[in-house]
Amino acid sequence: MTAAAATAHHAIVSTRSTRLWNAKNSRFDKNVCLVSVGSCCPGNRKLGLLCASGSQSSVTEPVQQPSNGKGDHSPKKSKESSLILIRHGESMWNEKNLFTGCVDVPLTPKGVQEAIEAGSRIRNLPIDVIYTSSMVRAQMTAMLAMMQHRRKKVPIIMHNESEQAHSWSKIYSEDTKKLSIPVITAWQLNERMYGELQGLNKQETADQFGKEQVHEWRRSYGIPPPNGESLEMCAERAVSYFNDQVVPQLTSGKHVMVAAHANSLRSIIMHLDRLTSQEVISLELSTGIPMLYIFKEGKFVRRGSPVGPSEASVYAYTKNLAQYRQKLDSMVQ
Ligand SMILES: O=C(O)[C@H](O)COP(=O)(O)O
């Protein structure tokens, strides 16, 4: 691991443990130990790789093509699927340390690099459908990351905002469709609305209102910034969307990537890992770091962040991932 990768890897901070989500029973039913790289310590609050060994399952074809991303799923041999969550790369307002929220700003050159680096980490992982927020920084991140993917499918933004937009963007070749990945954009995955903090400098705001107050606005679950959304309010739309749209894709065996934002993803991770409103306070997501979950039999198992494209343990997570990787290796590139 390079020093930069190690820093980035350790920059994701989570809480002590997570549990397996049982969608059927709508509950979490088993604790899972999260460890930092190279150790397995329940007291360690850094998020890294799981110490559990990979599960076994039957082979899933790596190439799966949803027709419209909203249903119409072809039957699969195995229902195991993977979920990649990624916060966008550094934006031009991250760089300036400004509260951004729902202001739609693009990536910096560093953010572009982070997205490309993220893409190289996940370049051997299966991805059938991509969800992004409606904001350009998340969309840029998803697109740049996909440029690195070894399968070389083309990510294509679905335009379903009107019947005309839908019909005018129709693809008339089945072969070409098979070589594309639908990208579904959803405002529900947008960054939490930061209210009257949007555009303000974070340090100056802390100087003015006090560090504790600003930390409460930024990290608490229930307290909204002035005229903005609390994490709880953000969760209401982001987690509902995730459950309504993303989970059915995973259930049908599709491999999904979600490119979104610090707080929309914090709310989703809080839900997946069943963090309490106290625990979520210390959940920090770095820009441009992908995180992998395996979804199987209605349960989410967090597998950490792939450090590099060839990291052996990522592909040992499950037999399916290993086989997908092998298929990529055997394909003429
Ligand atoms: O919207 C913003 O300003 C950032 O993307 C996230 O901000 P935070 O670190 O205060 O949650």
Side-chain angles (χ1 to χ4, degrees):
M1 192 183 350
T2 65
T7 308
H9 187 72
H10 282 86
I12 302 174
V13 179
S14 185
T15 46
R16 293 179 303 276
S17 67
T18 187
R19 294 170 197 164
L20 302 179
W21 171 242
N22 186 327
K24 275 190 205 136
N25 304 328
S26 290
R27 65 185 172 80
F28 291 80
D29 51 19
K30 190 177 164 191
N31 283 322
V32 175
C33 169
L34 289 173
V35 296
S36 65
V37 176
S39 69
C40 183
C41 166
N44 194 324
R45 294 174 74 83
K46 301 279 182 188
L47 167 66
L49 304 173
L50 280 164
C51 48
S53 61
S55 58
Q56 302 285 302
S57 65
S58 61
V59 180
T60 301
E61 281 300 307
V63 180
Q64 300 292 337
Q65 177 64 28
S67 65
N68 58 13
K70 287 190 172 172
D72 189 16
H73 310 298
S74 53
K76 310 265 286 200
K77 287 179 192 163
S78 162
K79 293 293 182 192
E80 178 189 293
S81 49
S82 47
L83 169 68
I84 296 166
L85 303 178
I86 179 168
R87 183 186 174 193
H88 62 81
E90 182 195 70
S91 77
M92 292 182 78
W93 277 18
N94 290 147
E95 185 186 35
K96 292 178 190 297
N97 204 24
L98 303 182
F99 284 102
T100 313
C102 286
V103 181
D104 201 358
V105 300
L107 299 184
T108 59
K110 181 182 166 200
V112 168
Q113 276 313 314
E114 287 175 339
I116 292 170
E117 160 78 5
S120 75
R121 290 180 181 214
I122 56 171
R123 67 196 293 261
N124 292 312
L125 295 174
I127 298 172
D128 299 317
V129 55
I130 297 170
Y131 287 84
T132 77
S133 74
S134 64
M135 316 198 88
V136 71
R137 56 192 187 271
Q139 294 180 16
M140 284 177 82
T141 300
M143 296 300 186
L144 290 163
M146 288 315 293
M147 279 178 10
Q148 302 303 306
H149 202 276
R150 287 177 76 197
R151 189 66 186 83
K152 295 291 172 221
K153 285 190 174 185
V154 178
I156 297 180
I157 294 184
M158 298 291 105
H159 282 285
N160 292 332
E161 58 269 23
S162 70
E163 241 173 68
Q164 190 186 57
H166 177 69
S167 71
W168 284 26
S169 57
K170 195 166 155 61
I171 300 167
Y172 290 89
S173 159
E174 287 307 312
D175 288 345
T176 304
K177 270 193 209 173
K178 280 183 192 144
L179 292 171
S180 62
I181 299 178
V183 179
I184 298 163
T185 61
W187 68 268
Q188 292 90 334
L189 298 172
N190 285 0
E191 181 54 288
R192 137 258 285 278
M193 203 278 277
Y194 248 128
E196 290 166 19
L197 300 186
Q198 288 183 178
L200 303 190
N201 182 281
K202 288 177 182 173
Q203 185 54 53
E204 288 169 15
T205 309
D207 294 343
Q208 188 181 346
F209 294 95
K211 244 170 100 178
E212 285 74 28
Q213 173 66 83
V214 171
H215 187 259
E216 199 164 59
W217 285 333
R218 293 179 67 184
R219 291 293 168 265
S220 71
Y221 181 62
I223 298 165
N227 287 317
E229 281 183 308
S230 62
L231 187 63
E232 185 177 16
M233 291 153 84
C234 177
E236 269 166 37
R237 56 171 166 92
V239 175
S240 304
Y241 183 84
F242 181 86
N243 284 334
D244 293 349
Q245 302 296 325
V246 178
V247 172
Q249 298 273 20
L250 294 165
T251 305
S252 74
K254 297 284 188 291
H255 305 289
V256 178
M257 178 166 89
V258 177
H261 303 262
N263 293 291
S264 50
L265 288 175
R266 281 176 76 228
S267 71
I268 289 169
I269 290 169
M270 180 185 181
H271 169 68
L272 297 181
D273 292 358
R274 211 184 184 195
L275 304 181
T276 65
S277 53
Q278 269 306 109
E279 288 171 327
V280 78
I281 291 172
S282 54
L283 177 63
E284 298 275 349
L285 303 187
S286 294
T287 50
I289 304 295
M291 281 165 293
L292 176 66
Y293 285 80
I294 302 298
F295 180 77
K296 194 175 179 191
E297 291 164 5
K299 296 169 182 172
F300 285 98
V301 181
R302 183 176 203 154
R303 307 318 302 250
S305 178
V307 174
S310 306
E311 187 196 351
S313 58
V314 171
Y315 306 99
Y317 283 164
T318 75
K319 195 172 164 187
N320 284 359
L321 291 183
Q323 286 175 337
Y324 182 81
R325 167 92 199 264
Q326 274 165 17
K327 282 209 175 194
L328 290 176
D329 288 344
S330 66
M331 282 167 60
V332 182
Q333 299 282 312

